[in-house]
Amino acid sequence: MDLLDARLRRCADFVRPGTALCDVGCDHGYLPCQLALEGKIRSGLACDVNPSPLDSAKRTIARTGAGTVVSTRLSDGLMQVRPEEARDIVIAGMGGELILSILLAVPWVKQPGRRLILQPMTKAELLRRGLCREGFRILKESAVPDGNRCYAVLLAEYDGVVRDCSPLYAAVGEMKDDVYLAMQQQRCRRKAQGLRQGGDPQAQAVQQLAEEIKQRRSAVQSEENHDCKTDL
């Protein structure tokens, strides 16, 4: 049995073995239940601000027999969650702005040893800027293609270092997957073209960003080719 789609599976890959998992905006509770079935987590908390998704999660828990590991909680973000219940926090399927507001609403997310696994559906750039500004370090990113879209999954933790966030970093962060980099490059090119047609002076800056993403793609490809030769 595998309850996870591609987005949730990529989030699951970032969850540490033996952790206490908190899934914010749990929908059907698939993520904690699947990881409980795999024996990957010691506890799982499925949270949502609305009762209806929690009812769905309870049915998933009952159907999978994960009740000894997974429980549910009516919670506005992390407000009703105890720190010890959330060593690894997954917030997936929301806009980047909402994800950031959920994180900043509780100070204990900045405690040492806590990992954040974030999957924004929109405004990933805003989320990256906010994480840099608030002292969070993005450790790794991975891409999840979905039809004609491609979503980023971010792994982050707090280290207290406020970082500058360039336009390039806001656009692609720590991403190395070419499918995501190509999408962002094409997105910038289309935006620059539209701005030029409207006589907007920002067109040049957006076109420059597209070129910087192109250079990042080349650098990543060169690095991967070098690694392949080293392995041989």
Side-chain angles (χ1 to χ4, degrees):
M1 177 186 296
D2 192 343
L3 303 171
L4 306 183
D5 61 15
R7 287 189 306 110
L8 289 180
R9 176 51 66 184
R10 198 60 54 86
C11 291
D13 291 342
F14 283 158
V15 173
R16 294 173 292 184
T19 194
L21 172 69
C22 179
D23 182 15
V24 180
C26 65
D27 196 12
H28 288 79
Y30 291 152
L31 180 62
C33 286
Q34 181 64 40
L35 294 184
L37 291 175
E38 295 174 6
K40 189 172 185 179
I41 57 174
R42 61 180 170 86
S43 66
L45 185 61
C47 298
D48 207 283
V49 70
N50 295 309
S52 180
L54 292 182
D55 290 340
S56 297
K58 289 174 183 176
R59 288 193 290 270
T60 302
I61 293 169
R63 177 164 57 91
T64 58
T68 59
V69 176
V70 182
S71 59
T72 62
R73 180 79 48 79
L74 186 66
S75 179
D76 183 0
L78 293 162
M79 297 298 289
Q80 282 71 47
V81 177
R82 298 188 299 274
E84 64 270 18
E85 296 175 307
R87 301 301 296 171
D88 284 22
I89 300 168
V90 175
I91 311 178
M94 304 180 194
E97 189 170 13
L98 178 56
I99 291 174
L100 188 63
S101 69
I102 288 172
L103 293 175
L104 298 183
V106 290
W108 54 259
V109 298
K110 297 181 176 181
Q111 292 174 353
R114 207 171 304 281
R115 289 287 179 89
L116 310 175
I117 300 153
L118 314 172
Q119 189 272 300
M121 299 297 285
T122 60
K123 298 187 178 179
E125 295 90 345
L126 185 151
L127 178 58
R128 293 188 185 101
R129 290 192 192 99
L131 291 172
C132 290
R133 182 180 65 246
E134 297 294 334
F136 292 91
R137 177 188 175 198
I138 301 174
L139 302 172
K140 186 176 181 180
E141 297 195 33
S142 186
V144 184
D146 184 4
N148 61 351
R149 301 291 300 275
C150 187
Y151 300 103
V153 180
L154 289 67
L155 176 66
E157 66 180 8
Y158 182 79
D159 66 2
V161 178
V162 176
R163 295 171 170 83
D164 291 331
C165 186
S166 67
L168 177 63
Y169 197 82
V172 301
E174 297 292 333
M175 186 67 71
K176 294 186 177 182
D177 293 344
D178 190 67
V179 63
Y180 188 90
L181 298 176
M183 179 196 72
Q184 291 293 74
Q185 180 186 347
Q186 183 62 25
R187 178 183 174 191
C188 288
R189 283 178 172 173
R190 289 197 301 266
K191 182 177 180 181
Q193 183 178 10
L195 291 173
R196 278 196 300 270
Q197 291 173 349
D200 194 313
Q202 290 297 316
Q204 184 175 354
V206 177
Q207 183 61 43
Q208 177 61 33
L209 177 56
E211 292 304 312
E212 291 178 8
I213 296 174
K214 180 181 178 181
Q215 293 170 13
R216 167 70 72 85
R217 292 179 67 192
S218 297
V220 170
Q221 186 63 51
S222 296
E223 181 181 330
E224 290 175 348
N225 289 340
H226 178 268
D227 290 343
C228 288
K229 291 178 181 178
T230 302
D231 292 340
L232 293 175

